Every structure is written in structure tokens, then in C-alpha cells.
Amino acid sequence: MSRSYVETVLLNGEELEYAGTLHWIIFVPGFASAILGAFICLLTPQLLNDTLFLGLAKEMHGYLLAVGLSMVFGGVGMIGHSYLRLISTELAVTNRRVIAKTGFISRNTFEVMLNRVEGANIDQTVWGRIFGFGSIFVHGTGGGITPIDHIAEPLKFKKELMTWVERNQPTTAARPSSQTQHTVTEAGN
């Protein structure tokens, strides 16, 4: 069995702490198109005449069948694309880095050492809050901002990320404070 991208790029002593996934919402447009297309294909001339009262049912039926079939095939294509996106996306927080990988044939990666992460923002629509998905924007030092769209449980991902970012920050005991530096300067004079 092949190893995942995250498993292949782990450094010595680095461990996977949290793995995120994409939300099932990515499948909704494809299923909606396929179901609506199937419904349109099932419209019979008699049903059209009974509901529209236009007497054009026989002429419209061929066009509606073509539109319906196009929507079904388009929906199936969108479902396939969503599935490939789901299986080819990896989102991970390790004890040293945050890693995001997308792409099936071509690959896009985003890897930032946790001590270089300045913060993370979440963007959720009303539907995202109801169904539990959203986008996370990871801010790295140097102005780099990388969005991760349609992630399931974005608050949990952010909490795990920021917990490990905090653990990877230098301790305050190791850094002299400005007050300590001032005292040392005065003693030297």
C-alpha cells in the first residue's frame, strides 16, 4: 500500500498530531445537478401538458431530455472531480509543521514550520457554520497566507494548529525581557 504524502515528508522525530479532511459538502453541487437532471429526464409530454397548459409538450420533450441528460452527465463528472479532490487532499498538523497537499496528477503543497506560523483565521458562511465546514487561512512569517477551503471542522483544525504553534514558540525564560536588558545596561555604567 502506498504511503501518503504527509508520511513521506515527515522529518526525523516528527510525528503526526492531527489530520484534517475536506467536508462532504464538496459533493453537493454534483449530486444536485445529477438529481435535477434525472428529474427533468423523467418529465413526460403528458405531465408537461398537464402542468404547463401550453400544448408544446411534444416539441419541448426532446430539448428537456437533452438538457436533463447533460445535467446528469455533468453532475456525475462533478461527483468524480469531488472524489478525486477528497482523496488527493491531505491536511496535517505535526509536532513541527503544518502541511497541506492538494492535487492528483499535479501537486500543490504548503508546508510551514510551526515556529514560523503567525496565526490562522477561519472564514465560515452561515451554511458553513450550520454544516460544520469552512476555510482556514494560515499566516506565515513574511506575509504568506494560504487558504485551505472546504475543510471539515475548521475550529478543531485551528485549535490543534494553534496549540502546536504555542508549544513550538521559544520559552520566555530563554529570551531576556527589555526590563532585564535595561537593568544590565545600568549596572554596566
Side-chain angles (χ1 to χ4, degrees):
M1 186 170 155
S2 68
R3 293 175 21 175
S4 72
Y5 173 79
V6 171
E7 291 172 339
T8 61
V9 298
L10 289 178
L11 303 172
N12 289 334
E14 188 174 24
E15 297 176 12
L16 179 65
E17 300 298 337
Y18 180 77
T21 61
L22 294 180
H23 194 269
W24 56 263
I25 201 77
I26 63 173
F27 291 101
V28 169
F31 278 112
S33 177
I35 291 169
L36 183 60
F39 175 75
I40 290 172
C41 287
L42 295 175
L43 292 176
T44 63
Q46 183 61 42
L47 182 62
L48 287 171
N49 275 336
D50 292 346
T51 56
L52 297 178
F53 306 111
L54 296 175
L56 300 172
K58 288 184 182 179
E59 293 83 6
M60 288 178 56
H61 185 67
Y63 295 116
L64 287 176
L65 188 60
V67 168
L69 286 174
S70 298
M71 290 180 72
V72 167
F73 289 125
V76 169
M78 291 188 319
I79 291 167
H81 176 266
S82 296
Y83 179 71
L84 285 177
R85 186 173 166 210
L86 179 71
I87 65 170
S88 66
T89 300
E90 296 180 46
L91 309 168
V93 177
T94 71
N95 58 343
R96 293 187 186 174
R97 296 183 284 177
V98 59
I99 302 170
K101 188 271 286 187
T102 60
F104 184 65
I105 295 172
S106 64
R107 180 185 307 171
N108 261 337
T109 62
F110 168 75
E111 300 176 27
V112 176
M113 298 302 280
L114 293 177
N115 61 358
R116 300 286 185 222
V117 173
E118 292 180 344
N121 294 351
I122 294 175
D123 183 25
Q124 274 187 304
T125 63
V126 172
W127 294 113
R129 290 196 60 183
I130 291 170
F131 292 111
F133 69 92
S135 298
I136 293 182
F137 298 86
V138 179
H139 303 270
T141 56
I145 300 174
T146 300
I148 304 170
D149 295 324
H150 297 106
I151 187 170
E153 301 182 79
L155 293 172
K156 187 174 181 181
F157 189 91
K158 180 183 177 183
K159 181 179 179 183
E160 289 292 329
L161 171 63
M162 297 314 291
T163 297
W164 281 98
V165 165
E166 187 175 312
R167 288 181 186 173
N168 277 273
Q169 296 302 318
T171 60
T172 54
R175 287 184 281 163
S177 68
S178 60
Q179 188 178 30
T180 307
Q181 288 175 349
H182 181 65
T183 306
V184 171
T185 307
E186 283 182 25
N189 286 336

